[in-house]
Each structure stands twice: as C-alpha cells, then as structure tokens.
C-alpha cells in the first residue's frame, strides 16, 4: 500500500512539474507583440512664415499662457477666469477626460489575473441509464447533495500582445481626450475675449450714434429757425429731418447687438443669459494691444496647437488597434485555476478531505471566421490611414489660420490708422460747413454730407478698432496659446515627452511585431503594415524649400 501511495505521489509531482513548466513557458512568450509599432510622423515645416512679417510682429519665441493680459483689461481677465471655472462645454470635456482615464484602467485590468469567489448548493439526481448514474452506481435514484465554495482565477497570457496593444490604444485615447479639453479651453478663452471686444465696440458705436443724433437734432433746430425766418426753404428742413431719423434708426440695432453679446458672455460663463447685464451695461474702452507682438515660427505652432496634438494621439490609438485586430488571427491562451471545498454532506464541508483545487492552461483559436478577422484588420488599417490624413490636414490648417490671422491683423492695423486721419478731417469739415451755412456762404447739402460722412467714419474707426482686437485674438487662438495657464496636473498626457510635445509614437515601416525574437515575417497582415507605413509619409512642400 505504501508503495502504491509513493507511486501516486511521484506521478502527481510529475504532472505538477509538467503543468508548471507549461505555465512558465506560456508566460515567457509574452515578449511577442503583433501589429505595427507606432512612431510619430516627422512633419516638415517651413523655417519661417510665408512672407515678411509686418511691422509690430516678431518671429521670437513667446509665452502664450495668458496672452489676453496683453489687452490690459482687468474686467476681461476676470471674465476669463470665471468662464474657465464654470463653462459647460469645458466641464463636458473634463468629464470625457475622466471617462477616458477610467477606460484606460479597464484596459489595464486585463493585464492582471481575475479572481472570483463562488459558492453553491445543489440537490441533484443523475440518470440511472447512464454510466455516471446507473452503471457507476453513484446515484441510486434518490439524489444527492453537493456543497461547493471557493475561488476561481483566470489570466489571459498575452502572448501576441492583444492586451498590450489595447492598453496602448486606451492610453492614446486618454491623451487625445486631454488635448481635446485643451482645444475647448483655447476656444473658450478666445470666444470670451472676442465677445467682450464686440460688446465694448457696440457700446462705443452706440455712444457715437447718440452724439451724432444730438448734433443733427441741433442742426435740425437751426434749419427750422432759418425756415421760419424765411432764410431757407422747406427742402432743407426735410433733408435735416431725414438725416436725424436715419441716425436714430440705427440705435435700436446697436442696443440689441450689445444685449445679445451680454447674453452670449453670460452663457459662456455658465450663467443665465441676463446674469451679466448689470455688470457689463456700463460702457468701457475697447481693449487694444500695443508694442511688438511675438508670434514664433511654424514649428512652435505644431508643437503647441491642441487640435494638432489631439489628431496625432488619435493616429497613435488607431495604429495600436491594428495590433488588437491582428491578434485575433492567433490563438488566445489562458491559465485558469480554482481552490475551495466540495462535499456531499454539510457537516464535512470544511474537512481537509473536502479540499479541492485545479489549475491548467487552455486556448481558443478562431480557425474559421469567413474573412471576418481579415476584414476587421483591413477596416482598422483604413481608419489609421484616415487618421494620418486628418493629422496632416490639422497641421496645414493650423499654419493657414496663423498666416491668415497675421495678415488680417497687420492690414487692419494700417487701415485703422488711415481711418483715424480721415475721421479727424471729417470733424473739421463738419465744423467748417456749419459755420459757412450759418453765414449763408454754402448750401445746406454740404452740411448734411459732412455730418453723414463724419458719422460713417467715426463708426468705421470703432469697427476697425474692434477688428484689430478680434484679429489679435484670432491670431493668438491660431497660435494655440492659453491652455497652459489653466492646466490641471491630473490632465497631463500619459505619454507626453518632457517638453510637452506629442509622444514620439505612426506605424514604423516594416515592423509589425515588437519582439524579443519575433520579426516582420511573423506578421499575418502585410497589407495593413504597408498602408500604415505609407500613411506616415506626409505630403508637404519639397524638402529643398523647407527645413525639418
């Protein structure tokens, strides 16, 4: 009997040794990762802007963290702070960051074993006509009890990198959500600043309209007096009356525009439309900027723009998902085990003889899927190509927006200078025409023309001041500045480098696996790799005209 027990013990140890060797071998195979490795595309950008920078703009590096402070308006600074704290679009973007962070945690959980506790009681009766129930004689037809409790554990041995690629994709998704939040923040700050400038311009235009209305009403009174004295005809009175009412008709439009702008600012701050009415109804100066304005070089824009960074991170996520889809061509290996107690009698449930355990590997392999897996890989490959094109488009769009904003800002600045001179001359023309008319030395039509011209030019000056301010805002929005000031420490991208640039991770040509030991010959989807590699080659101006 002791010899038999010894043999059983030796056999059990041998089986355990074989099982342990298999498990260790499976764990050691995890170094192989299918799918293309991602390398951030090298985008070639010009060393300088397309034309010579206009006077007042400098191609020097600058800190854009609080660019709106250059407008020198404390009220605007306060509105931006409150908008960042309360804006609903920004809060939505923050919620999406938290969602992506949670999704990354879910993906990472697949790298670790799962353990479930279980317990059950079963009263059952086996068939008497089967070997188990009848021939084996375990169940005599009366049935039996089965008590069971313990732990079940399982772990997917990620031999071909499906789980690792999924974690890589989820990490890039989190980075993309962070950059999306930054993009919303940049847009929010610019919208608050733009609407504030619009409001102050509308209030200034309203003040000018009211001043001109009073001046024209005085002229109408003078013409009436001359008509009643028989010194002029009724035509001059009608003309003066037309001038007055035309100016008066523009005031309601300006009032409505100012009210709508206040409503818009209130909503941007996450408040009811009229919440800022009392605070902002008092007119203020139109914010303006003075001194040289640094704009940097094109390469700075690409590194800073949140929408470009988001597009790059989306490309990284799409590339990683090629690996997730490719892994389905290979078997999935899993180690499962259980530990607990089983007994047919509750009184013996926790006896040593009721202890039970089991451990062993298993695998599943989709041998025939009628082209589903290959189709999934091809679809993901196309998504990656589309993401690469979107990244290229975001780079070109960023440079276009900056170039356009710089041109508009510089040219409007020059236009404003001319309008100011013209408005001063128009004011002098009004004064002279009124003096000459009062002495009967000129026709009344000259007075009306001078007043209309003055009102139009004064309004144009204010609108030009507004445009200079809004183009300044558009320029700094295009440069991608503003998000650094309000950056929460928890929203740093998970794989950004030390300089804050997008992580150096587009498919690397010719490499569909990252092994210790695996080579591109092991890759099952060369078409996907070739397309991903070709997507890396961005179409931009010739290298001879640019610098990397």
């Amino acid at each position: 009997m002791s010899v038999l027990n010894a043999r059983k013990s030796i056999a059990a140890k041998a089986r355990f040794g074989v099982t342990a060797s298999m498990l260790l071998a499976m764990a050691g195979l995890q170094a192989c990762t299918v799918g293309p490795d991602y390398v951030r595309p090298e985008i070639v950008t010009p060393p300088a802007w397309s034309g010579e920078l206009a006077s007042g703009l400098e191609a020097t590096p600058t800190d854009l963290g609080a660019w709106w402070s250059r407008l020198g308006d404390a009220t605007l600074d306060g509105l931006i702070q409150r908008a960042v704290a309360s804006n609903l679009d920004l809060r939505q973007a923050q919620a999406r960051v938290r969602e992506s962070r949670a999704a990354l945690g879910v993906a990472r959980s697949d790298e670790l074993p799962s353990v479930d506790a279980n317990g059950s009681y079963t009263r059952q009766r086996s068939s008497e006509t089967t070997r188990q129930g009848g021939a084996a004689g375990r169940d005599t037809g009366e049935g039996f009890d089965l008590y069971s409790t313990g732990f079940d554990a399982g772990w997917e041995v990620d031999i071909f990198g499906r789980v690792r690629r999924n974690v890589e994709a989820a990490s890039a998704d989190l980075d993309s959500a962070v950059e999306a939040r930054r993009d919303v923040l940049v847009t929010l700050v610019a919208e608050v600043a733009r609407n504030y400038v619009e409001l102050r311009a509308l209030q200034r235009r309203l003040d000018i309209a009211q001043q001109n209305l009073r001046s024209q009403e005085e002229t109408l009174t003078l013409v009436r007096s001359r008509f009643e004295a028989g010194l002029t005809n009724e035509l001059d009175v009608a003309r003066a009356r037309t001038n007055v009412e035309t100016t008066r008709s523009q005031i309601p439009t300006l009032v409505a525009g100012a009210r709508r702008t206040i409503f818009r600012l209130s909503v941007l701050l996450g408040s009811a439309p009229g919440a800022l009415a009392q605070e902002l109804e008092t007119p203020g100066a139109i914010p303006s900027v003075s001194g040289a304005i640094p704009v940097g070089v094109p390469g700075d824009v690409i590194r800073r723009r949140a929408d470009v960074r988001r597009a790059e991170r989306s490309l990284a996520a799409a590339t990683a998902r090629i690996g997730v889809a490719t892994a389905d061509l290979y078997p999935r290996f899993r180690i499962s085990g259980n530990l607990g107690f089983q007994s047919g009698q509750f009184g013996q449930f926790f006896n040593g003889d009721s202890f039970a355990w089991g451990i062993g590997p298993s695998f599943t392999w989709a041998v025939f899927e009628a082209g589903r897996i290959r189709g999934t890989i091809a679809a993901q490959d196309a998504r990656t190509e589309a993401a690469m094109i979107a990244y290229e488009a975001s780079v070109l769009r960023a440079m276009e927006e900056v170039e356009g904003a710089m041109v508009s800002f510089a040219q409007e600045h020059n236009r404003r200078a001319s309008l100011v001179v013209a408005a001063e001359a128009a004011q002098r023309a009004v004064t002279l025409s009124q003096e000459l008319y009062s002495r009967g030395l000129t026709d009344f039509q000259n007075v009306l023309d001078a007043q209309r011209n003055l009102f139009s030019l004064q309004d144009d000056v204010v609108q030009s001041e507004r445009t200079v301010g809004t183009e300044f805002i558009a320029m700094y929005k295009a440069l991608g500045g503003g998000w650094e000031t309000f950056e929460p420490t928890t929203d740093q991208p998970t794989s950004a480098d030390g300089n804050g640039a997008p992580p150096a991770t587009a498919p690397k040509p010719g490499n569909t696996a990252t092994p210790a030991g695996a080579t591109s010959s092991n890759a099952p989807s060369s078409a996907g790799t070739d397309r991903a590699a070709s997507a890396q080659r961005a179409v931009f101006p010739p290298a001879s005209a640019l610098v990397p």
Side-chain angles (χ1 to χ4, degrees):
M1 190 69 176
S2 61
V3 174
L4 181 60
N5 291 336
R7 289 178 177 176
K8 290 181 178 180
S9 177
I10 292 173
K13 290 180 179 179
R15 287 194 296 271
F16 182 79
V18 171
T19 301
S21 298
M22 292 176 62
L23 300 181
L24 290 173
M26 290 171 64
L29 289 173
Q30 289 197 94
C32 177
T33 304
V34 299
D37 290 331
Y38 179 74
V39 177
R40 187 180 66 214
E42 292 295 332
I43 299 297
V44 178
T45 58
W49 302 108
S50 61
E52 183 178 354
L53 290 179
S55 175
L57 301 179
E58 297 180 348
T60 55
T62 180
D63 179 13
L64 304 182
W67 56 264
W68 54 90
S69 62
R70 292 180 61 90
L71 294 170
D73 193 301
T75 301
L76 173 60
D77 295 345
L79 291 174
I80 289 175
Q81 292 284 347
R82 290 154 62 186
V84 171
S86 305
N87 180 262
L88 299 182
D89 291 335
L90 185 57
R91 288 168 60 185
Q92 288 183 45
Q94 290 168 338
R96 286 191 285 269
V97 170
R98 294 193 296 271
E99 176 190 359
S100 297
R101 185 174 290 113
L104 175 59
V106 171
R108 283 175 172 166
S109 68
D110 290 338
E111 295 178 320
L112 302 174
S114 62
V115 180
D116 297 324
N118 62 75
S120 67
Y121 161 74
T122 305
R123 175 69 180 178
Q124 67 183 54
R125 178 186 182 277
S126 300
S127 170
E128 296 183 15
T129 61
T130 62
R131 178 174 178 81
Q132 179 183 4
R138 177 179 179 183
D139 189 354
T140 61
E142 297 179 357
F144 61 92
D145 297 323
L146 180 61
Y147 300 90
S148 176
T149 189
F151 298 94
D152 291 331
W155 177 45
E156 180 180 345
V157 185
D158 193 26
I159 293 178
F160 297 105
R162 184 189 70 86
V163 174
R164 292 192 295 279
R165 289 299 192 196
N166 198 39
V167 171
E168 182 182 337
S171 177
D173 284 340
L174 173 57
D175 293 343
S176 180
V178 170
E179 299 300 345
R181 176 196 172 276
R182 291 170 173 172
D183 194 26
V184 171
L185 183 55
V186 170
T187 301
L188 171 63
V189 169
E191 278 296 293
V192 172
R194 184 184 66 80
N195 278 276
Y196 182 78
V197 171
E198 291 276 1
L199 173 63
R200 293 312 188 197
L202 285 165
Q203 290 173 334
R204 178 59 181 149
R205 292 177 64 194
L206 177 61
D207 182 59
I208 290 174
Q210 291 171 337
Q211 290 180 18
N212 276 275
L213 179 61
R214 288 192 292 270
S215 175
Q216 291 167 5
E217 287 176 336
E218 292 174 358
T219 301
L220 175 59
T221 301
L222 174 62
V223 173
R224 279 176 176 168
S225 299
R226 290 175 60 84
F227 171 69
E228 292 171 356
L231 299 177
T232 188
N233 54 48
E234 190 176 357
L235 177 61
D236 288 348
V237 176
R239 287 174 175 173
R241 185 77 173 177
T242 301
N243 213 27
V244 167
E245 297 305 326
T246 299
T247 301
R248 195 194 309 276
S249 69
Q250 298 187 30
I251 291 177
T253 302
L254 296 173
V255 172
R259 294 290 294 178
R260 287 198 304 269
T261 306
I262 290 176
F263 294 161
R264 181 58 186 153
L265 282 168
S266 299
V267 172
L268 286 172
L269 268 62
S271 304
L276 298 178
Q278 185 174 1
E279 179 180 350
L280 296 178
E281 65 183 3
T282 302
I286 301 174
S288 61
V289 62
S290 59
I293 301 174
V295 295
V297 295
D300 295 338
V301 176
I302 304 309
R303 286 188 291 270
R304 186 189 304 114
R305 288 262 303 218
D307 59 333
V308 175
R309 294 157 64 100
R310 182 182 73 245
E312 188 274 332
R313 292 285 77 209
S314 296
L315 173 61
T319 303
R321 289 192 170 95
I322 296 178
V324 176
T326 302
D328 287 341
L329 290 170
Y330 294 94
R332 294 187 188 181
F333 293 89
R334 187 174 182 82
I335 300 173
S336 302
N338 59 78
L339 185 71
F341 294 90
Q342 291 181 345
S343 175
Q345 298 179 8
F346 185 76
Q348 299 177 356
F349 192 34
F350 293 104
N351 289 352
D353 292 338
S354 299
F355 179 71
W357 63 272
I359 188 171
S362 65
F363 77 90
T364 58
W365 195 351
V367 177
F368 178 71
E369 290 285 341
R372 181 187 63 82
I373 297 176
R374 297 281 184 181
T376 301
I377 295 171
Q380 187 56 48
D381 184 48
R383 293 188 193 101
T384 302
E385 184 178 357
M388 181 65 206
I389 294 170
Y391 176 49
E392 294 178 14
S394 70
V395 171
L396 292 177
R397 184 169 55 251
M399 291 191 292
E400 176 197 10
E401 289 176 358
V402 176
E403 294 265 18
M406 288 192 300
V407 169
S408 297
F409 173 79
Q411 295 305 316
E412 190 61 36
H413 197 275
N414 295 335
R415 177 173 177 267
R416 178 185 173 280
S418 297
L419 286 171
V420 169
V421 174
E424 291 173 351
Q427 180 66 66
R428 177 61 177 164
V430 168
T431 302
L432 291 174
S433 64
Q434 289 175 338
E435 291 178 355
L436 292 173
Y437 176 72
S438 63
R439 289 184 286 173
L441 298 178
T442 188
D443 186 76
F444 184 64
Q445 185 63 46
N446 292 330
V447 177
L448 295 178
D449 290 343
Q451 288 181 335
R452 282 195 293 264
N453 196 33
L454 173 63
F455 177 43
S456 176
L457 283 170
Q458 287 178 332
D459 192 68
D460 286 345
V461 168
V462 174
Q463 293 195 58
S464 182
E465 289 178 356
R466 176 206 63 196
T467 303
V468 169
T470 55
E471 291 297 343
F472 169 81
I473 293 165
M475 181 170 60
Y476 269 76
K477 177 188 175 184
L479 290 170
W483 57 263
E484 303 93 336
T485 302
F486 304 103
E487 184 71 357
T489 57
T490 56
D491 278 359
Q492 295 295 334
T494 57
S495 44
D497 62 26
N499 296 322
T505 59
K508 187 176 181 180
N511 186 6
T512 57
T514 35
T519 65
S520 60
S521 62
N522 296 329
S525 177
S526 60
T529 304
D530 293 342
R531 291 195 190 99
S534 64
Q536 180 184 1
R537 295 188 286 273
V539 180
F540 283 100
S544 59
L546 309 173
V547 297

